[in-house]
Structures are given as C-alpha cells and as structure tokens.
Amino acid sequence: MATKIPVTVITGFLGSGKTSLIRHLLQNNQGRRIAVLVNEFGELGIDGELLKSCQICPEDGEGDINTNIFELTNGCLCCTVQEEFYPMMQELIKRRDSIDCILIETSGLALPKPLVKAFRWQEIRNAATVDAVITVVDCAAVAAGTFASDLEAIAAQRQADDNLEHETPLQELFEDQLACADLVVLNKIDLVDAETKARVEELIKQELPRVVKIVETDAYGGHSQLDASILLGFQAAVEDNLDSRPSHHDTEEDHNHDEEITSTNLILDRTFDPEKLQQQLEKLAQQQEIYRIKGFVAVPNKSMRLVMQGVGTRFDKFYDRPWKPEEARQTRLVFIGRDLKSSEIESQLVAL
C-alpha cells in the first residue's frame, strides 16, 4: 500500500459541487503533488478549465507545480475505461515518483463501480489503489426531487409491493453513486431548512449499504470546512471490497445511460449582460428538461471571465480570472439534459 499511488474517486450528480470540492483541495494541497483526471460529459472542457484557473496550476505547464490537470472529454468515463482511462493511468504511473495522489472527477453521469474495477487490472493494481470514493450530493436538488418525479411516492409503492419497480435511470445512478461511497459530502445545505435537510439525510442513509459518514457543506464557501485530512488518506483499497458496494448493473457486462440524455455546446463570439442571460437560461430550463448548464460568459466592459453554472432553474456565477490577451472573448456554454432541442437553445440566446 505504501508504494502505491492513492487515488480518490469523486463522484456525484450533475452540479453537485465536485469541481468546487477539488478546487478547494488544490488550493489547500498542503504540499501534496496532486494529479487530477477530469471526465466531462460533452465536448467543451469547462470543469478542467475551472480547475486550471485555481491559481495553483499554471495553465501553460511551466514553473514549479504541485498539480497536473488531465481532461477526458470523449464520453462517460465508466463507459470508456479501456479506451480512455487505461492509457491515461499508464502515463501517470510512469510519473509515480512525482505524484503523491490522484483525484478523479467523474462526469455527473458516470457509475463509480466500473471505474473502480479497472484498478483490479494487474498493470494498474501494482502501482495504484483506490483510497476512497467520495460522493457529493446536492441537498437542495435531491429535496426538489430532481432524480425522480416523487421520491416519497416511489418509496411508498415499493413498500406496498416488492414487485413494483419505478426507478428512473437517474434514480439508479444516484443510488449506485451512494452505494459505492466511503464518504458522502452533503452539499448546499444552506439552500434548505433543517427539516428538509434531515429528510434528505434519511433518504441517503436508506441507500447506504453500510455505515458511511456524512459531512455537510454549504453552497457558498462551505468546502473550506473540509480539510484534506477528511477527504484523503482512507486507505480503503476499494478495489478489494467491491462486494460490499452493490450496483444496479452488477449482473451486466456493460451498461447504457439513458439514450435521451445528451449534451450540446454553444459558442458565441459576443458578450452578454449576466442578469439578462441568467433570466433567459432559467426560462430555457423551464421549457426543456435541462439538468445542468455550465460555462464561461464574456461580459461587456469586464476584463474578467464570468463562470456561470446552473442546476435546474438554480444558478450561481462568479469571476474566476482575467481574459488572456491572446484569448478570444467568447461565451461558451454546455447544456446537459434529456432530449435537448439544440436549435431552440441557440436561437433564443442569439436573439437575446
């Protein structure tokens, strides 16, 4: 164990706060040399750019660095383990003397268990081990029933008749992410009241197959409460005890995500008023089944790049860094959802 690179897998649904959690770890790395693998659903590497702008990792790869960011944007990591993940891990293993630990941020649509299974491969097993699986949960989103039309009704129907199955693909994904967890980070608790938070915690506990700690954070700066010692150093060797982490897909050779869940990208060579743009995006989220919106916005008369992120109809935004002199001041947005109508999204934003 001492000679293996510890790997922390950070999973969670779209917009739960995984990237913010990793940014905090990078900014408070306590001298650790951290490599980060970012897996995005969609072609634009938004999360990777956010991590590179954390002011710890030089974006051009020069200088005295403690962190390296690697992006995998060609599909969900749990579906492309052999094609995407394995070659990247081989490269990282070659550099093991300069890496203290690896963080893997899965896409919001990834199952953690197929990824962890890859650490049983001999070429990886001899050099790396899964230290822990951290599952980040958006408390407000779960409380609003994002993963199913009515979670309480489904639970009641199951209790009444064990033969009834009313799980949606998103609900199964949520449950699988929890079932694999060594630690659950319940994020955005400041967006709900105490009674709602308690209800979400009880729901999470019902999905956990064994005793797992739940730590709480809030949407604005809450990750500062989580020291690296809480998130790293579990030494769980997760790949060796997968039997205690049940999945809906344990009997399948492969799995498929809901085929209607897609992503679409929009790149516009223009600026936007942030408030007007957010209002339009909120309308789009109501008109279509959009789970996640994220990207960068060029704002008139602003030298800083604006980051805008949305879960459902809830949005937050912040300026992360100045635009570079040679950089095109474009507005780049990624939309993830079900049966998206890309032309309608583009036409409404172009007309704004």
Side-chain angles (χ1 to χ4, degrees):
M1 286 286 293
T3 61
K4 294 183 179 181
I5 306 172
V7 178
T8 301
V9 177
I10 300 180
T11 186
F13 202 70
L14 301 163
S16 59
K18 302 186 298 296
T19 303
S20 297
L21 184 66
I22 294 176
R23 276 175 65 95
H24 169 70
L25 278 173
L26 297 184
Q27 292 168 334
N28 299 272
N29 59 34
Q30 299 172 354
R32 294 180 180 87
R33 297 169 299 174
I34 302 175
V36 182
L37 276 177
V38 183
N39 178 221
E40 298 222 52
F41 188 83
E43 296 176 6
L44 293 181
I46 301 298
D47 291 346
E49 283 206 36
L50 282 175
L51 293 176
K52 289 174 183 175
S53 69
C54 71
Q55 298 179 353
I56 295 296
C57 342
E59 296 188 49
D60 55 8
E62 297 178 357
D64 183 19
I65 63 173
N66 287 326
T67 311
N68 299 286
I69 311 294
F70 303 89
E71 296 177 67
L72 300 174
T73 59
N74 296 324
C76 176
L77 188 56
C78 64
C79 302
T80 59
V81 169
Q82 189 167 354
E83 299 87 349
E84 299 289 333
F85 171 71
Y86 179 74
M88 184 64 74
M89 279 300 299
Q90 288 292 89
E91 287 301 312
L92 290 176
I93 289 171
K94 292 177 183 177
R95 303 166 55 186
R96 59 192 298 180
D97 291 340
S98 61
I99 295 175
D100 294 320
C101 61
I102 299 173
L103 304 178
I104 300 179
E105 178 187 352
T106 69
S107 82
L109 298 173
L111 296 166
K113 195 166 181 179
L115 173 61
V116 175
K117 283 183 178 178
F119 284 83
R120 291 177 168 178
W121 297 349
Q122 201 64 35
E123 297 89 341
I124 296 179
R125 186 185 189 91
N126 291 335
T129 180
V130 181
D131 184 71
V133 176
I134 309 294
T135 300
V136 186
V137 175
D138 182 335
C139 185
V142 174
T146 297
F147 307 111
S149 58
D150 191 336
L151 293 176
E152 293 179 353
I154 290 173
Q157 287 173 334
R158 280 182 177 165
Q159 190 172 8
D161 186 348
D162 292 337
N163 294 319
L164 288 177
E165 289 293 336
H166 294 278
E167 293 175 331
T168 67
L170 297 182
Q171 179 68 28
E172 288 187 5
L173 173 59
F174 179 62
E175 292 170 0
D176 277 19
Q177 290 175 345
L178 288 175
C180 205
D182 294 282
L183 179 74
V184 174
V185 177
L186 185 59
N187 191 26
K188 307 182 185 181
I189 61 170
D190 52 322
L191 303 181
V192 301
D193 57 31
E195 181 180 350
T196 301
K197 185 190 74 167
R199 177 166 57 84
V200 173
E201 285 183 343
E202 186 58 36
L203 173 67
I204 291 173
K205 289 176 182 177
Q206 290 173 6
E207 299 297 343
L208 295 172
R210 62 201 181 285
V211 177
V212 173
K213 290 290 186 182
I214 301 175
V215 296
E216 301 174 354
T217 55
D218 59 56
Y220 301 102
H223 292 305
S224 61
Q225 302 168 8
L226 298 182
D227 188 85
S229 61
I230 298 175
L231 301 167
L232 305 176
F234 279 71
Q235 298 184 345
V238 179
E239 66 274 13
D240 293 333
N241 59 35
L242 282 176
D243 290 342
S244 66
R245 302 163 193 259
S247 166
H248 289 279
H249 304 273
D250 282 338
T251 59
E252 300 177 8
E253 287 292 326
D254 296 295
H255 75 279
N256 294 311
H257 296 301
D258 189 324
E259 293 181 356
E260 294 177 338
I261 298 178
T262 59
S263 71
T264 186
N265 309 317
L266 191 61
I267 301 177
L268 298 172
D269 293 311
R270 56 160 292 186
T271 60
F272 285 91
D273 176 274
E275 300 305 323
K276 291 181 180 178
L277 177 60
Q278 180 175 327
Q279 291 173 9
Q280 189 62 50
L281 293 177
E282 289 172 355
K283 290 179 182 178
L284 280 167
Q286 293 170 349
Q287 294 167 0
Q288 298 190 38
E289 196 167 351
I290 298 173
Y291 301 131
R292 184 84 163 97
I293 300 172
K294 56 185 178 180
F296 305 113
V297 180
V299 178
N301 303 316
K302 282 286 186 180
S303 61
M304 300 283 286
R305 183 176 70 174
L306 180 70
V307 178
M308 183 169 287
Q309 304 181 86
V311 180
T313 57
R314 190 178 73 247
F315 284 80
D316 65 84
K317 49 189 181 292
F318 61 91
Y319 292 97
D320 72 326
R321 65 164 174 80
W323 291 100
K324 298 177 181 178
E326 72 283 2
E327 188 176 18
R329 297 196 180 190
Q330 298 173 317
T331 295
R332 295 183 289 149
L333 297 171
V334 175
F335 299 79
I336 302 173
R338 187 190 302 275
D339 195 22
L340 296 179
K341 300 176 179 61
S342 303
S343 59
E344 292 184 12
I345 294 174
E346 182 173 4
S347 62
Q348 289 193 37
L349 294 184
V350 169
L352 185 62

